[in-house]
Amino acid sequence: MCQTDGWSDTLKTTTGWIHAICAAMALSGAAVAQEHEHEEMHDEPAGEHSMDASIEMRHGNASISLNGKTLEYDWSAGTMPVLDDTTGETRAEVFHIAYRVASDEPRPVTFVFNGGPGSSSVWLHMGLCGPKRIVFANDKGDPTPPPYDVVDNEFTWLAWTDLVFIDPVSTGFSRPAEGVEKSEFHGLEQDISSVGDFIRLWTTRNDAWGAPKFLCGESYGTTRAAGLSVYLQQRHAMYLNGIVMISSALDFGTLRFGAGNILPPALYLPTYAATAHYHKALERDLQRKGLDDLLAEVESFVVEEYTPALLLGDRLDEAQRAAIVKKLTRYTGTSEAFIDRVRLAPTIWRFTKELLRDQERTVGRLDSRFQGIDADPSGDSTERDPSYDVILGPYAGAINQHLRGELGVTEDRVYEILTGNVRPWDYGSDGNGSYVNVAPRLAEALRINKDLKVEFHSGYYDLATPYFATEYVISQLHLDDELRDNVTHVLYPSGHMMYLHLPSLEKQSRAARAFYENTLKEH
């Protein structure tokens, strides 16, 4: 694999690391149930809607100012059916918004979706890729008072690729057809097949088989993208050019804290340290270090000392345990009593509660740069994610105004931003009783299609899908030397949605454009 921004020296895949982490996997045992999703979820009413789940396609054209020039584009918004292969009957209506630029040559087309599961595509649409973006109060990404402004997105991916934003069934305006159970779409395999079949039909109806094709997924959207990489190959003989994986969740065993699974404590520690450094909670000598230097030190500790200690468990002698407690205290900015109480393995929710306990503040999970206030400052775990609270209102307001204003989609039904109505989610044989791991599917797609390129994007302050977990997953793809350069990883001083941070948004746009150009340079 390739690193960017000089991280090849920082993140070294040593024999000791691989042996220690693989041993951790062997000892992880049975998984806990998959009842919590990667993005903060809130149950929302599904809303009343007509018996007909379809929404008539609307079309128009618009323009934005881009680097002093005018970029004109066509847009379309509405539903397209997911069809039964045998009967041809409509099983669901999938709402989507497409933006296309007229060109004499086939332009790339990128199919974009978020995760959840249960999320619409609003976050990538109005935050990163689309022609419009939300205005925040400052470079950090703090919200302005409502109502929220939307401006031309000078970083839009529409400058180099056409875009199709997909809302999976039960999200956005997408709904099952009358008489069809929603459970037919609410599961790992069901979701992959319905989204994949939509992509095939959209490509056919829009005469895009001759266009280079990319996927862009975020969070559980990367789980979907990895599954689609193989599904599209095998079911529809559709080979992709590239996949952008934002805040990836390919191996849930790296993200789910549970009895016997020592991977998350090890892989989350660098992000705990980055978070403590951001909030100036570390001891003076560590606080003086630059973030890159600090993380290099913590990663070495994880590989050389912390993971072996976790493997030893109760066999760790008293002196060894005391040494690990002291270092964990230093790197997490917490106390020895706390580290001892959590048995050397602080979970996300306990760390986000503990770090700033003396200030009666919590830190975010999606983005640990943000602080919150709990009703009960004495509790063991945070009551909610403050980094979700700062984004929900702006994004919901922006997409509803964009839909009903610029696009003229006049629907009474609720546009489901991020819904719990997809529960229970069926993880099938890949997740009901074991951790979901779709990384082998991505590796298979790369071996089958040697021209496929994949770029991962991670934020240092993401406590939902930490960057070091992504490094570990990439190292376990076991790709042939010929293919390793097909996978790259870009890191940002931001969180799960790194584009909230304005400098990271600019950097991410540059990185994505370079990825497309490098992927297509021989096209």
Side-chain angles (χ1 to χ4, degrees):
M1 57 155 286
C2 293
Q3 300 280 340
T4 61
D5 301 332
W7 274 80
S8 56
D9 293 332
T10 301
L11 296 164
K12 296 180 180 178
T13 305
T14 63
T15 301
W17 175 19
I18 293 177
H19 286 172
I21 298 294
C22 288
M25 284 294 289
L27 294 178
S28 64
V32 294
Q34 309 278 352
E35 68 267 32
H36 298 298
E37 306 309 334
H38 292 291
E39 295 183 10
E40 181 73 359
M41 299 275 281
H42 291 271
D43 291 343
E44 298 172 1
E48 296 296 326
H49 55 85
S50 64
M51 298 298 285
D52 183 2
S54 66
I55 296 175
E56 182 180 359
M57 291 296 301
R58 296 182 60 83
H59 304 272
N61 52 71
S63 65
I64 59 171
S65 177
L66 195 62
N67 299 321
K69 299 180 180 179
T70 299
L71 177 67
E72 297 182 349
Y73 60 90
D74 299 321
W75 59 262
S76 59
T79 59
M80 185 176 289
V82 174
L83 301 174
D84 186 290
D85 284 342
T86 303
T87 66
E89 294 180 353
T90 297
R91 298 176 55 235
E93 293 282 354
V94 172
F95 185 78
H96 63 288
I97 301 171
Y99 302 97
R100 308 187 75 183
V101 174
S103 174
D104 293 334
E105 298 294 329
R107 276 169 52 94
V109 58
T110 303
F111 298 95
V112 186
F113 36 77
N114 280 90
S119 178
S120 66
S121 59
V122 60
W123 317 103
L124 292 174
H125 186 177
M126 303 302 294
L128 176 62
C129 303
K132 302 289 184 178
R133 68 175 178 88
I134 298 167
V135 177
F136 286 92
N138 48 37
D139 283 1
K140 175 187 173 184
D142 287 314
T144 63
Y148 307 101
D149 291 332
V150 173
V151 297
D152 291 352
N153 183 8
E154 65 271 40
F155 309 112
T156 179
W157 294 18
L158 190 56
W160 63 85
T161 177
D162 292 345
L163 299 166
V164 183
F165 294 93
I166 303 171
D167 293 336
V169 177
S170 297
T171 75
F173 287 141
S174 300
R175 301 290 186 270
E178 181 182 359
V180 179
E181 294 295 327
K182 64 181 184 179
S183 60
E184 293 188 21
F185 308 95
H186 296 173
L188 177 68
E189 305 300 344
Q190 301 93 315
D191 174 75
I192 289 169
S193 63
S194 63
V195 174
D197 293 348
F198 168 87
I199 289 173
R200 195 279 311 172
L201 184 58
W202 188 95
T203 300
T204 299
R205 289 188 176 183
N206 289 274
D207 193 25
W209 277 94
K213 297 170 193 66
F214 289 76
L215 304 179
C216 176
E218 180 178 285
S219 197
Y220 187 86
T222 65
T223 313
R224 180 184 297 121
L228 284 169
S229 68
V230 169
Y231 181 82
L232 290 171
Q233 285 177 347
Q234 296 181 350
R235 178 66 187 88
H236 298 304
M238 181 183 287
Y239 281 36
L240 300 168
N241 296 82
I243 306 175
V244 180
M245 301 279 198
I246 299 174
S247 302
S248 69
L250 302 190
D251 180 355
F252 287 22
T254 65
L255 307 173
R256 302 293 196 198
F257 286 82
N261 184 13
I262 68 169
L263 279 176
L267 298 174
Y268 271 74
L269 184 62
T271 302
Y272 289 163
T275 302
H277 185 270
Y278 180 86
H279 293 286
K280 298 179 171 51
L282 296 177
E283 294 178 9
R284 185 174 301 175
D285 62 318
L286 293 178
Q287 199 63 54
R288 284 198 297 262
K289 289 178 178 285
L291 184 61
D292 288 2
D293 291 340
L294 171 67
L295 293 180
E297 178 178 328
V298 176
E299 290 158 12
S300 295
F301 168 71
V302 169
V303 172
E304 298 166 8
E305 300 179 57
Y306 186 36
T307 301
L310 291 171
L311 285 168
L312 285 171
D314 290 344
R315 293 174 294 169
L316 198 64
D317 68 37
E318 188 173 334
Q320 290 173 316
R321 191 177 191 282
I324 294 296
V325 167
K326 285 186 179 297
K327 285 199 172 182
L328 286 175
T329 299
R330 275 175 53 79
Y331 292 144
T332 61
T334 60
S335 66
E336 290 189 19
F338 171 72
I339 294 299
D340 183 66
R341 189 166 64 249
V342 298
R343 299 179 180 178
L344 313 185
T347 61
I348 306 166
W349 299 115
R350 298 197 74 166
F351 171 78
T352 55
K353 182 76 170 186
E354 187 69 24
L355 180 64
L356 303 179
R357 183 183 291 276
D358 60 341
Q359 303 173 39
E360 296 191 0
R361 293 293 184 272
T362 63
V363 298
R365 171 179 172 260
L366 293 176
D367 193 327
S368 63
R369 297 175 303 142
F370 292 92
Q371 297 183 17
I373 304 173
D374 279 352
D376 179 10
S378 67
D380 287 332
S381 300
T382 47
E383 297 166 4
R384 57 187 306 107
D385 182 356
S387 58
Y388 181 68
D389 293 339
V390 301
I391 59 176
L392 178 58
Y395 276 86
I399 190 62
N400 277 286
Q401 181 59 36
H402 184 62
L403 287 167
R404 292 166 171 84
E406 182 163 335
L407 305 184
V409 180
T410 55
E411 271 295 307
D412 288 339
R413 75 183 75 173
V414 174
Y415 184 85
E416 297 287 0
I417 301 293
L418 182 57
T419 178
N421 289 322
V422 300
R423 296 173 180 167
W425 191 262
D426 175 18
Y427 286 94
S429 59
D430 271 359
N432 292 341
S434 63
Y435 291 115
V436 167
N437 185 5
V438 293
R441 303 193 199 192
L442 179 63
E444 180 183 357
L446 285 160
R447 287 191 293 269
I448 292 171
N449 176 10
K450 295 180 176 59
D451 293 314
L452 175 63
K453 304 296 194 297
V454 181
E455 183 163 87
F456 290 84
H457 294 235
S458 301
Y460 296 131
Y461 305 115
D462 179 4
L463 282 170
T465 56
Y467 79 91
F468 206 48
T470 296
E471 280 294 324
Y472 165 74
V473 170
I474 293 171
S475 78
Q476 299 302 303
L477 291 174
H478 300 302
L479 297 174
D480 184 86
D481 290 348
E482 178 186 344
L483 299 175
R484 289 184 184 174
D485 285 346
N486 288 19
V487 180
T488 54
H489 193 191
V490 189
L491 297 125
Y492 302 87
S494 189
H496 194 68
M497 299 159 63
M498 58 282 299
Y499 41 88
L500 287 178
H501 178 239
L502 189 59
S504 293
L505 170 61
E506 182 176 2
K507 175 183 175 180
Q508 192 166 20
S509 178
R510 291 198 311 269
R513 185 163 196 159
F515 172 68
Y516 278 69
E517 290 174 350
N518 291 335
T519 299
L520 298 175
K521 63 185 177 183
E522 297 178 1
H523 189 266

